[in-house]
Amino acid sequence: QTFTFYSRPTGKGYNGGIKNFHWKGGKIVRTDKKDNGSKPLIYTLFSLVHAQNISFENTVYDGIQNVSGHNYDIIGCKNVVIKNNKYYGYGFTKNVKPDIGNNSGQHPFYSEIIELDFPYKPGKVGDFSAFGLEVWNLFTAKQKSYSDDIPSRNISVLNNTIAPKKEKGKAISYSQNLIGSHVKRNNMKNSQKTGDILIKGNTIENPCPVRPLTFKQKGKKVTTSVEWNGIMHFTELDRCVIENNTIKINEKGIAKRTSLFSFGEYNSDASKIQGVIVKNNKISGAKGKYSQKILWGGSGKQVIELESKVTGWK
């Protein structure tokens, strides 16, 4: 049994949705343990369209997300604060599998708690749709006409804890990756990109492990190019500060590459990323020869790394 809070658009632009919505406190616990990591369904707890002045604070989310799901889908929104929350687990399995039945076969391996998206109708851009078909089909024809492709901007992600789901002191699932986006668009001005993001003071422990180089989807062998942990990943970005975050890898074999900031997915490149500052972060316990690549993707010429502290390489 699941539920989704979603806001329907009332018009185009940032004023075309709900305003001044603030969720504070409480604990949301999932007791259904049927998710085995192979379901094609994607669950999003909060789906917000054209919303302004939104916050989620001081709430515990315990085992909420199915594999491939999101806690928040922020779609063309502005001024969003996600602060002092605790997120435990990612599905009820460590056996994360491809998104069987969907086109987004690799999505489960790097599904985010916070997905930043654009308001467009399903199928418009690549394999990913900002509006899932389940939500899109609930919109009226007029509401569908409000799809305007505006970016989410002014997003603050502060002092959250992301950790595995445990029972009787033992982890039964990994934690989820923190934030990202998938959509790649062409010829966008910087002001049209996702941007003005602050990611500060968060602690992430044992995020979903690297996807395998080879796996089966619909009975066919699928080969990917890299193995990695994409803690934060974007395909286009305009101004972002990532600082004072802590990433802990303390389970054997969980990561061959830990990437604090990545922009290699969906054939993105450094030319679509500008104004990113990464400083004073700490990553500990990662293993493997690729682990020291804190920043990964393209040439990285437009990414600035300052004073990140890396410990525990083996």
Side-chain angles (χ1 to χ4, degrees):
Q1 194 75 23
T2 62
F3 74 93
T4 298
F5 174 93
Y6 71 95
S7 63
R8 303 188 189 201
T10 58
K12 291 187 175 183
Y14 296 117
N15 289 319
I18 63 171
K19 298 180 182 68
N20 303 318
F21 175 83
H22 303 287
W23 182 291
K24 293 186 178 181
K27 183 176 183 179
I28 303 175
V29 181
R30 177 180 171 182
T31 57
D32 173 15
K33 302 180 182 180
K34 293 181 180 180
D35 182 5
N36 61 8
S38 63
K39 289 186 177 183
L41 296 176
I42 296 177
Y43 297 115
T44 298
L45 188 60
F46 295 98
S47 183
L48 303 173
V49 184
H50 289 170
Q52 268 201 84
N53 300 328
I54 307 298
S55 66
F56 298 92
E57 298 183 42
N58 301 315
T59 303
V60 175
Y61 301 93
D62 191 349
I64 294 299
Q65 285 310 317
N66 269 27
V67 167
S68 210
H70 309 288
N71 215 86
Y72 316 97
D73 203 346
I74 309 298
I75 306 170
C77 298
K78 189 174 182 180
N79 300 333
V80 179
V81 176
I82 298 173
K83 181 179 179 181
N84 294 331
N85 301 293
K86 295 181 179 180
Y87 306 90
Y88 296 115
Y90 177 46
F92 281 84
T93 179
K94 287 187 175 181
N95 186 25
V96 178
K97 298 179 180 180
D99 209 355
I100 297 171
N102 282 355
N103 292 325
S104 52
Q106 299 169 14
H107 187 261
F109 297 108
Y110 46 80
S111 177
E112 320 86 348
I113 292 173
I114 306 162
E115 175 153 300
L116 303 178
D117 251 324
F118 303 84
Y120 55 82
K121 63 182 180 180
K124 181 180 177 183
V125 181
D127 292 333
F128 284 88
S129 301
F131 297 116
L133 283 173
E134 303 87 356
V135 173
W136 180 257
N137 289 334
L138 295 175
F139 289 172
T140 66
K142 187 174 183 179
Q143 289 165 344
K144 291 178 181 179
S145 73
Y146 298 145
S147 300
D148 55 9
D149 211 26
I150 62 173
S152 292
R153 297 189 69 96
N154 298 347
I155 312 295
S156 297
V157 183
L158 309 171
N159 304 321
N160 298 285
T161 298
I162 300 94
K165 165 74 175 174
K166 294 183 179 181
E167 286 189 352
K168 298 180 180 180
K170 183 178 179 180
I172 60 172
S173 68
Y174 299 108
S175 67
Q176 197 165 8
N177 288 318
L178 179 58
I179 186 171
S181 62
H182 305 290
V183 177
K184 178 185 177 183
R185 303 176 304 161
N186 296 318
N187 302 317
M188 293 291 107
K189 297 178 181 178
N190 287 333
S191 61
Q192 295 172 302
K193 299 176 183 178
T194 297
D196 293 324
I197 300 171
L198 175 61
I199 303 169
K200 185 175 181 180
N202 302 283
T203 299
I204 305 168
E205 178 185 353
N206 290 345
C208 181
V210 293
R211 65 179 185 229
L213 286 173
T214 302
F215 58 86
K216 285 187 176 181
Q217 183 178 5
K218 297 182 180 180
K220 295 183 179 180
K221 184 178 178 180
V222 177
T223 300
T224 64
S225 59
V226 295
E227 297 180 279
W228 62 297
N229 278 79
I231 310 302
M232 306 165 203
H233 55 273
F234 299 90
T235 48
E236 59 181 54
L237 191 60
D238 171 45
R239 295 198 301 253
C240 177
V241 175
I242 302 172
E243 66 175 320
N244 296 333
N245 300 286
T246 299
I247 299 171
K248 302 176 182 178
I249 308 295
N250 53 35
E251 183 166 329
K252 185 178 180 180
I254 194 173
K256 290 188 177 180
R257 173 180 292 179
T258 293
S259 176
L260 179 63
F261 174 81
S262 300
F263 53 97
E265 283 303 306
Y266 294 88
N267 299 313
S268 186
D269 56 68
S271 67
K272 297 182 181 297
I273 308 290
Q274 73 93 27
V276 178
I277 297 175
V278 181
K279 62 180 181 179
N280 299 329
N281 298 282
K282 181 179 179 181
I283 306 175
S284 64
K287 297 177 175 63
K289 62 181 181 180
Y290 296 112
S291 296
Q292 297 186 51
K293 292 187 178 296
I294 303 173
L295 307 180
W296 176 74
S299 66
K301 290 181 180 178
Q302 302 204 33
V303 177
I304 302 171
E305 181 192 357
L306 299 174
E307 301 176 11
S308 288
K309 183 179 181 181
V310 182
T311 64
W313 304 115
K314 296 180 180 179

